[in-house]
């Protein structure tokens, strides 16, 4: 028996949705892309959505639309997948890492404030594990210093912050549809926004910087005419992927409810166990529970990790602080240290959590975790 930490949930309706596209006239840049964009935008409460080929592309085009470039700094968290910072480097700008809150594991607004300089252009807040960041504090900081806010919501589609869905708060929010994410398109991403100016730029950067929109053309040579107005990218997504995503969106609330049930069972099993620190959920928020992270407080994390892997449990670690990767160490980050991020990383283990996890499988995980952590 092998239990992964995350896994997609695909049913017959998803398969049929993909088959319908395969039998249709459009395999890419067709009506299913628009339908998927509208479905996500309506769900989160945003005016506009732009679907792209993956979550990293979403972050990149968001940074491009924000005008981030050489000489700019963008503040983000070190406890995230590298793409949350790499997207800044792609634009020729500099990622700046602010430490996390040791309780929520999200970026600490007070630490953001400490790192603002005249070169700061934006904040990329990451809703780590699906737990919403303190967006009131982050928004206030951004307004005070005239910064843009890009939310990395790769873990947080369906999460709620003070009554508002993630995706309805900031200048732009990026989502990922990788197989382990809240819903999947295989590979895919999306940016949502309420700003029409950003929406137009996002569309351009997604597809080579080229437009056929008569209102954007600087001249009109005929009905065939188009213009490349920016140096864009081929970050388009297929109708095949979007058909799957549209079908998956019908199940998102159910998926989150199931993740919540799994998280509650873990909480109950580990409550009061001194060797295990469990995650918390902030008051007024609904986590998407993309990940369930424990910290091994007494036993060596590697020892526990290897024992659980040997028992057939696909635990993982999310994430190595970004600035510790060799590329970053070799490019100016060797002296960067975030105390709380590094302490968290040294103890963190991701346990299996996905809608298809059975109670029997979860009980097995719980028993093994207690075996290795409770008496350390």
């Amino acid at each position: 028996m092998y239990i992964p930490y995350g896994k997609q949930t695909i049913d017959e309706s998803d398969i049929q949705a993909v088959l319908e596209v395969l039998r249709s006239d459009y395999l890419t840049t067709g009506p299913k892309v628009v339908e998927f964009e509208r479905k996500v935008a309506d769900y989160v409460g945003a005016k506009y959505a732009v679907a792209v080929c993956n979550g990293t592309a979403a972050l990149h085009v968001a940074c491009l639309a924000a005008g981030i470039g050489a000489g700019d700094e963008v503040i983000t968290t070190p406890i995230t997948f590298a793409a949350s910072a790499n997207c800044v480097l792609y634009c020729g700008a500099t990622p700046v890492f602010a430490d996390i809150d040791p309780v929520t594991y999200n970026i600490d607004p007070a630490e953001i404030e400490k790192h603002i300089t005249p070169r700061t252009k934006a904040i990329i807040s990451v809703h780590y594990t699906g737990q919403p960041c303190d967006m009131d504090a982050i928004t206030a900081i951004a307004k005070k210093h005239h910064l843009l806010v890009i939310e990395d919501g790769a873990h947080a589609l369906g999460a709620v912050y003070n009554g508002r869905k993630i995706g309805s708060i900031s200048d732009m929010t990026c989502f990922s549809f990788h197989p382990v994410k809240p819903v999947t398109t295989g590979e895919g991403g999306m940016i949502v926004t309420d700003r029409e100016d950003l929406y137009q730029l996002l569309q351009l950067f997604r597809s080579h910087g080229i437009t056929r929109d008569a209102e954007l053309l600087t001249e009109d040579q005929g009905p065939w005419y188009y213009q490349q107005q920016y140096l864009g990218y081929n970050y388009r997504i297929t109708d095949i992927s979007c058909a799957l995503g549209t079908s998956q969106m019908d199940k998102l609330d159910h998926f989150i409810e199931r993740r919540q049930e799994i998280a509650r069972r873990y909480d109950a099993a580990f409550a009061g166990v001194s060797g295990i620190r469990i995650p918390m959920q902030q008051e007024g928020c609904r986590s998407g529970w993309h990940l369930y992270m424990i910290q091994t407080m007494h036993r060596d994390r590697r020892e526990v990790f290897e024992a659980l892997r040997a028992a057939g449990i696909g635990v993982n670690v999310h994430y190595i602080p970004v600035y510790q990767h060799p590329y970053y160490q070799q490019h100016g980050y060797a002296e960067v240290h975030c105390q709380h991020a590094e302490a968290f990383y040294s103890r963190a283990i991701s346990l299996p959590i996905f809608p298809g996890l059975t109670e029997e499988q979860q009980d097995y995980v719980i028993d093994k975790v207690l075996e290795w952590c409770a008496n350390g």
Side-chain angles (χ1 to χ4, degrees):
M1 176 176 64
Y2 177 77
I3 307 169
Y5 84 87
K7 182 183 177 183
Q8 71 272 16
T9 302
I10 302 292
D11 66 15
E12 189 61 30
S13 65
D14 298 319
I15 295 168
Q16 289 303 315
V18 171
L19 288 175
E20 287 176 15
V21 170
L22 292 174
R23 297 185 178 110
S24 75
D25 294 331
Y26 291 92
L27 295 186
T28 191
T29 61
K32 283 296 178 182
V33 177
V34 177
E35 181 182 350
F36 183 44
E37 289 171 338
R38 189 72 264 148
K39 195 150 195 173
V40 174
D42 288 346
Y43 179 88
V44 303
K47 289 182 181 178
Y48 307 106
V50 176
V52 292
C53 55
N54 56 60
T56 301
L59 287 163
H60 186 195
V61 296
C63 288
L64 291 168
I68 293 166
D72 293 332
E73 295 177 348
V74 178
I75 298 172
T76 192
T77 174
I79 297 296
T80 184
F81 187 59
S84 306
N86 290 350
C87 60
V88 178
L89 294 175
Y90 297 157
C91 296
T94 301
V96 175
F97 296 102
D99 208 352
I100 63 169
D101 180 320
V103 176
T104 68
Y105 315 149
N106 278 327
I107 193 168
D108 186 338
E111 292 296 316
I112 293 174
E113 189 87 55
K114 292 178 184 178
H115 287 83
I116 291 172
T117 75
R119 296 173 60 188
T120 307
K121 185 71 173 283
I123 301 165
I124 296 179
S125 57
V126 180
H127 303 297
Y128 174 65
T129 75
Q131 167 87 266
C133 295
D134 186 348
M135 292 311 303
D136 285 346
I138 292 170
T139 300
I141 292 168
K143 287 182 177 178
K144 176 182 174 183
H145 296 280
H146 308 290
L147 308 176
L148 280 85
V149 177
I150 300 170
E151 296 177 50
D152 182 341
H155 295 180
L157 182 61
V160 178
Y161 174 79
N162 288 344
R164 300 178 65 184
K165 287 216 174 79
I166 296 302
S168 65
I169 299 170
S170 299
D171 296 289
M172 289 178 279
T173 302
C174 301
F175 296 115
S176 170
F177 307 116
H178 181 274
V180 298
K181 295 304 195 299
V183 300
T184 188
T185 59
E187 286 279 5
M190 189 174 289
I191 314 97
V192 296
T193 183
D194 282 344
R195 288 178 48 179
E196 185 176 5
D197 60 330
L198 293 175
Y199 173 61
Q200 291 178 344
L201 289 170
L202 291 165
Q203 289 183 304
L204 284 166
F205 284 120
R206 167 178 64 180
S207 189
H208 305 283
I210 289 174
T211 184
R212 295 178 181 271
D213 187 335
E215 293 185 3
L216 299 180
L217 297 176
T218 60
E219 60 176 311
D220 185 358
Q221 297 182 9
W224 66 88
Y225 192 61
Y226 61 90
Q227 291 180 333
Q228 181 184 332
Q229 298 180 338
Y230 295 88
L231 183 60
Y233 297 80
N234 183 358
Y235 282 164
R236 297 187 299 258
I237 191 172
T238 69
D239 279 50
I240 300 166
S241 295
C242 290
L244 175 57
T246 301
S247 178
Q248 286 265 296
M249 284 298 296
D250 291 334
K251 309 170 184 71
L252 175 57
D253 286 337
H254 167 70
F255 289 166
I256 292 175
E257 288 171 6
R258 179 69 189 123
R259 288 176 180 273
Q260 289 174 325
E261 290 172 1
I262 294 167
R264 285 194 293 267
R265 292 190 83 233
Y266 279 141
D267 285 349
F270 303 142
V273 178
S274 64
I276 302 171
R277 179 174 294 174
I278 62 175
M280 57 83 71
Q281 183 170 247
Q282 288 180 284
E283 187 176 349
C285 295
R286 179 178 81 169
S287 176
W289 288 114
H290 168 60
L291 299 171
Y292 188 93
M293 305 297 301
I294 63 167
Q295 294 184 63
T296 58
M297 303 308 294
H298 303 321
R299 297 291 290 269
D300 177 74
R301 189 266 305 278
R302 180 166 184 166
E303 180 184 24
V304 175
F305 185 96
E306 290 179 346
L308 294 175
R309 280 283 182 95
I313 301 169
V315 290
N316 214 324
V317 174
H318 297 89
Y319 296 94
I320 301 165
V322 175
Y323 58 79
Q324 290 187 349
H325 288 295
Y327 179 87
Y328 281 84
Q329 289 288 294
Q330 295 161 14
H331 289 83
Y333 292 84
E335 301 304 319
V336 173
H337 295 285
C338 294
Q339 175 186 354
H340 296 308
E342 292 177 17
F344 172 73
Y345 166 63
S346 72
R347 300 188 294 257
I349 294 182
S350 319
L351 301 185
I353 184 167
F354 55 93
L357 185 71
T358 67
E359 288 195 1
E360 180 183 14
Q361 289 174 320
Q362 189 179 11
D363 287 340
Y364 177 76
V365 173
I366 289 168
D367 287 346
K368 291 298 179 181
V369 171
L370 289 173
E371 178 184 336
W372 281 94
C373 293
N375 300 315

Coordinates of all heavy atoms in Angstrom, one line a residue, residues 124-172:
I124 N 4.1 39.9 -3.2 CA 3.5 38.6 -3.6 C 3.2 37.8 -2.3 O 4.1 37.3 -1.7 CB 4.4 37.8 -4.6 CG1 4.6 38.5 -5.9 CG2 3.7 36.4 -4.8 CD1 5.5 37.8 -6.9
S125 N 2.0 37.8 -1.9 CA 1.6 37.1 -0.7 C 1.1 35.7 -1.1 O 0.4 35.5 -2.1 CB 0.4 37.8 0.0 OG -0.7 37.9 -0.9
V126 N 1.6 34.7 -0.4 CA 1.3 33.3 -0.7 C 0.4 32.7 0.3 O 0.8 32.6 1.5 CB 2.6 32.4 -0.8 CG1 2.3 31.0 -1.2 CG2 3.6 33.1 -1.9
H127 N -0.7 32.2 -0.1 CA -1.7 31.6 0.9 C -1.2 30.1 1.1 O -1.8 29.2 0.6 CB -3.1 31.6 0.4 CG -3.5 33.0 0.1 ND1 -3.6 34.0 1.0 CD2 -3.9 33.6 -1.1 CE1 -4.1 35.1 0.5 NE2 -4.2 34.9 -0.8
Y128 N -0.2 30.0 1.9 CA 0.5 28.7 2.1 C -0.5 27.7 2.7 O -1.1 27.9 3.7 CB 1.7 28.9 3.0 CG 2.4 27.7 3.4 CD1 3.1 26.9 2.4 CD2 2.5 27.3 4.7 CE1 3.8 25.8 2.8 CE2 3.2 26.2 5.1 CZ 3.8 25.4 4.1 OH 4.5 24.3 4.5
T129 N -0.5 26.5 2.1 CA -1.4 25.3 2.5 C -2.8 25.6 2.2 O -3.7 24.7 2.5 CB -1.2 24.9 3.9 OG1 -1.8 25.8 4.8 CG2 0.3 24.7 4.3
G130 N -3.2 26.8 1.7 CA -4.6 27.2 1.6 C -5.1 28.1 2.7 O -6.3 28.5 2.7
Q131 N -4.2 28.3 3.7 CA -4.6 29.2 4.8 C -4.4 30.7 4.3 O -3.3 31.1 3.9 CB -3.6 29.0 6.0 CG -3.6 30.0 7.0 CD -4.7 29.8 8.1 OE1 -5.8 30.3 8.0 NE2 -4.4 29.0 9.1
P132 N -5.5 31.5 4.3 CA -5.3 32.9 3.8 C -4.4 33.7 4.6 O -4.3 33.6 5.9 CB -6.8 33.4 3.9 CG -7.6 32.2 3.8 CD -6.9 31.1 4.6
C133 N -3.6 34.5 3.9 CA -2.7 35.5 4.6 C -3.5 36.5 5.3 O -4.8 36.7 5.1 CB -1.8 36.1 3.6 SG -0.6 35.0 2.8
D134 N -2.9 37.4 6.1 CA -3.5 38.5 6.8 C -3.7 39.6 5.7 O -2.9 40.5 5.7 CB -2.7 39.0 7.9 CG -3.4 40.0 8.8 OD1 -4.4 40.6 8.3 OD2 -2.9 40.4 9.9
M135 N -4.7 39.5 4.9 CA -4.8 40.4 3.7 C -5.2 41.8 4.1 O -4.9 42.8 3.4 CB -5.8 39.8 2.7 CG -5.4 38.6 2.0 SD -3.7 38.7 1.3 CE -3.8 40.1 0.3
D136 N -5.9 42.0 5.3 CA -6.2 43.4 5.7 C -4.9 44.1 6.0 O -4.7 45.3 5.6 CB -7.1 43.4 6.9 CG -8.5 43.0 6.6 OD1 -8.9 43.0 5.5 OD2 -9.3 42.7 7.6
A137 N -4.0 43.5 6.7 CA -2.7 44.1 7.0 C -1.9 44.3 5.8 O -1.3 45.4 5.6 CB -2.0 43.3 8.1
I138 N -1.8 43.3 4.9 CA -1.0 43.4 3.7 C -1.6 44.5 2.8 O -0.8 45.3 2.2 CB -1.0 42.1 3.0 CG1 -0.1 41.1 3.8 CG2 -0.4 42.2 1.6 CD1 -0.2 39.7 3.4
T139 N -2.9 44.6 2.6 CA -3.5 45.6 1.8 C -3.2 47.0 2.4 O -2.9 47.9 1.6 CB -5.0 45.4 1.7 OG1 -5.3 44.1 1.1 CG2 -5.7 46.5 0.9
A140 N -3.3 47.1 3.7 CA -3.0 48.4 4.3 C -1.5 48.9 4.0 O -1.3 50.0 3.7 CB -3.3 48.4 5.8
I141 N -0.6 47.9 4.1 CA 0.8 48.2 3.8 C 1.0 48.6 2.4 O 1.7 49.6 2.1 CB 1.7 47.0 4.2 CG1 1.7 46.8 5.7 CG2 3.1 47.2 3.6 CD1 2.3 45.4 6.1
A142 N 0.3 47.9 1.5 CA 0.4 48.2 0.1 C -0.1 49.6 -0.2 O 0.5 50.4 -1.0 CB -0.3 47.2 -0.7
K143 N -1.2 50.0 0.3 CA -1.8 51.3 0.1 C -0.9 52.4 0.6 O -0.7 53.4 0.0 CB -3.2 51.4 0.7 CG -4.3 50.6 0.0 CD -5.6 50.8 0.6 CE -6.7 50.0 -0.2 NZ -8.0 50.1 0.4
K144 N -0.4 52.2 1.8 CA 0.5 53.1 2.5 C 1.7 53.4 1.6 O 2.2 54.6 1.5 CB 0.9 52.6 3.8 CG 2.0 53.5 4.6 CD 2.3 52.8 5.9 CE 3.5 53.6 6.6 NZ 3.9 52.9 7.8
H145 N 2.3 52.4 0.9 CA 3.5 52.5 0.2 C 3.3 52.5 -1.3 O 4.3 52.5 -2.1 CB 4.5 51.5 0.6 CG 4.9 51.5 2.0 ND1 5.9 52.4 2.5 CD2 4.5 50.8 3.1 CE1 6.1 52.2 3.8 NE2 5.2 51.3 4.2
H146 N 2.0 52.5 -1.8 CA 1.7 52.6 -3.2 C 2.3 51.4 -3.9 O 2.9 51.5 -5.0 CB 2.1 53.9 -3.8 CG 1.7 55.1 -3.1 ND1 0.4 55.5 -3.1 CD2 2.4 56.0 -2.3 CE1 0.3 56.6 -2.3 NE2 1.5 56.9 -1.8
L147 N 2.0 50.2 -3.4 CA 2.5 48.9 -4.0 C 1.3 48.1 -4.5 O 0.2 48.2 -4.1 CB 3.2 48.1 -2.9 CG 4.3 48.8 -2.1 CD1 4.8 47.8 -1.0 CD2 5.4 49.2 -3.0
L148 N 1.6 47.3 -5.5 CA 0.7 46.3 -6.0 C 0.7 45.1 -5.2 O 1.8 44.8 -4.6 CB 0.9 46.0 -7.5 CG 0.4 47.0 -8.5 CD1 1.4 48.1 -8.8 CD2 0.1 46.3 -9.8
V149 N -0.4 44.4 -5.1 CA -0.4 43.1 -4.4 C -0.8 42.0 -5.4 O -1.9 42.1 -6.1 CB -1.4 43.1 -3.2 CG1 -1.5 41.7 -2.6 CG2 -1.0 44.2 -2.2
I150 N 0.0 41.0 -5.5 CA -0.3 39.8 -6.3 C -0.4 38.7 -5.3 O 0.6 38.4 -4.6 CB 0.8 39.5 -7.3 CG1 1.0 40.7 -8.3 CG2 0.5 38.3 -8.1 CD1 2.2 40.6 -9.2
E151 N -1.5 38.1 -5.3 CA -1.7 36.9 -4.4 C -1.4 35.6 -5.1 O -1.9 35.4 -6.2 CB -3.2 36.8 -3.9 CG -3.5 38.0 -3.0 CD -5.0 37.9 -2.6 OE1 -5.4 36.9 -2.1 OE2 -5.7 38.9 -2.7
D152 N -0.5 34.8 -4.6 CA -0.3 33.5 -5.1 C -1.3 32.6 -4.4 O -1.1 32.2 -3.2 CB 1.2 33.1 -4.8 CG 1.5 31.7 -5.3 OD1 0.6 30.9 -5.6 OD2 2.7 31.4 -5.5
G153 N -2.3 32.3 -5.1 CA -3.4 31.4 -4.5 C -3.4 30.0 -5.0 O -4.4 29.4 -5.1
A154 N -2.2 29.5 -5.4 CA -2.1 28.2 -5.9 C -2.7 27.1 -5.0 O -3.2 26.1 -5.5 CB -0.6 27.9 -6.2
H155 N -2.6 27.4 -3.7 CA -3.1 26.4 -2.7 C -4.6 26.8 -2.3 O -5.1 26.0 -1.5 CB -2.3 26.4 -1.4 CG -0.9 25.9 -1.6 ND1 0.0 25.9 -0.6 CD2 -0.2 25.5 -2.7 CE1 1.2 25.4 -1.1 NE2 1.1 25.2 -2.4
A156 N -5.1 27.9 -2.8 CA -6.2 28.5 -2.0 C -7.5 28.8 -2.8 O -8.3 29.5 -2.4 CB -5.7 29.8 -1.4
L157 N -7.6 28.1 -4.0 CA -8.9 28.3 -4.7 C -10.0 27.7 -3.8 O -10.0 26.6 -3.4 CB -8.8 27.6 -6.0 CG -10.1 27.7 -6.9 CD1 -10.4 29.1 -7.3 CD2 -10.0 26.8 -8.1
G158 N -11.0 28.6 -3.5 CA -12.1 28.2 -2.6 C -11.9 28.6 -1.2 O -12.8 28.5 -0.4
A159 N -10.7 29.0 -0.8 CA -10.5 29.5 0.5 C -11.1 30.9 0.7 O -11.4 31.6 -0.2 CB -9.0 29.6 0.8
V160 N -11.4 31.2 2.0 CA -12.2 32.4 2.3 C -11.5 33.2 3.4 O -11.0 32.6 4.4 CB -13.6 32.0 2.8 CG1 -14.4 33.3 3.2 CG2 -14.4 31.3 1.7
Y161 N -11.4 34.5 3.2 CA -10.8 35.4 4.1 C -11.8 36.5 4.5 O -12.3 37.3 3.7 CB -9.6 36.1 3.5 CG -9.0 37.2 4.4 CD1 -8.2 36.8 5.5 CD2 -9.2 38.5 4.2 CE1 -7.6 37.8 6.3 CE2 -8.7 39.5 5.1 CZ -7.9 39.1 6.1 OH -7.4 40.1 7.0
N162 N -12.3 36.4 5.8 CA -13.2 37.4 6.3 C -14.4 37.6 5.4 O -14.8 38.7 5.1 CB -12.6 38.7 6.6 CG -11.6 38.7 7.8 OD1 -11.7 37.8 8.6 ND2 -10.7 39.7 7.9
G163 N -15.0 36.5 5.0 CA -16.2 36.5 4.2 C -16.0 36.7 2.7 O -16.9 36.7 1.9
R164 N -14.7 36.9 2.2 CA -14.4 37.1 0.8 C -13.6 35.9 0.3 O -12.6 35.5 0.9 CB -13.7 38.4 0.6 CG -14.5 39.6 1.1 CD -13.7 40.9 0.9 NE -13.4 41.2 -0.5 CZ -12.7 42.2 -1.0 NH1 -12.1 43.0 -0.1 NH2 -12.6 42.4 -2.2
K165 N -13.9 35.4 -0.9 CA -13.1 34.4 -1.4 C -11.8 34.9 -1.9 O -11.7 36.0 -2.4 CB -13.9 33.7 -2.6 CG -15.1 32.9 -2.2 CD -15.2 31.7 -3.1 CE -16.3 30.7 -2.6 NZ -17.6 31.2 -3.0
I166 N -10.8 34.1 -1.7 CA -9.5 34.4 -2.3 C -9.6 34.5 -3.8 O -10.1 33.6 -4.5 CB -8.4 33.3 -1.9 CG1 -8.2 33.3 -0.4 CG2 -7.1 33.6 -2.7 CD1 -7.8 34.6 0.2
G167 N -9.2 35.7 -4.3 CA -9.4 36.0 -5.7 C -10.2 37.3 -5.9 O -10.3 37.8 -7.0
S168 N -10.8 37.8 -4.8 CA -11.7 38.9 -4.9 C -11.1 40.1 -4.1 O -11.8 41.1 -3.9 CB -13.0 38.6 -4.4 OG -13.0 38.3 -3.0
I169 N -9.8 40.1 -3.7 CA -9.3 41.0 -2.8 C -8.3 42.0 -3.4 O -8.4 43.2 -3.2 CB -8.7 40.3 -1.5 CG1 -9.8 39.5 -0.8 CG2 -8.1 41.3 -0.6 CD1 -9.3 38.5 0.3
S170 N -7.3 41.5 -4.1 CA -6.1 42.3 -4.4 C -6.1 42.6 -5.9 O -7.0 42.2 -6.7 CB -4.9 41.5 -4.1 OG -4.8 41.3 -2.7
D171 N -5.0 43.3 -6.4 CA -4.9 43.6 -7.8 C -5.0 42.4 -8.7 O -5.7 42.5 -9.7 CB -3.6 44.4 -8.0 CG -3.5 45.7 -7.2 OD1 -4.2 46.6 -7.6 OD2 -2.7 45.7 -6.2
M172 N -4.3 41.4 -8.3 CA -4.3 40.1 -9.1 C -4.1 39.0 -8.2 O -3.4 39.1 -7.2 CB -3.2 40.1 -10.2 CG -3.4 41.1 -11.3 SD -2.1 41.1 -12.5 CE -0.9 42.2 -11.7

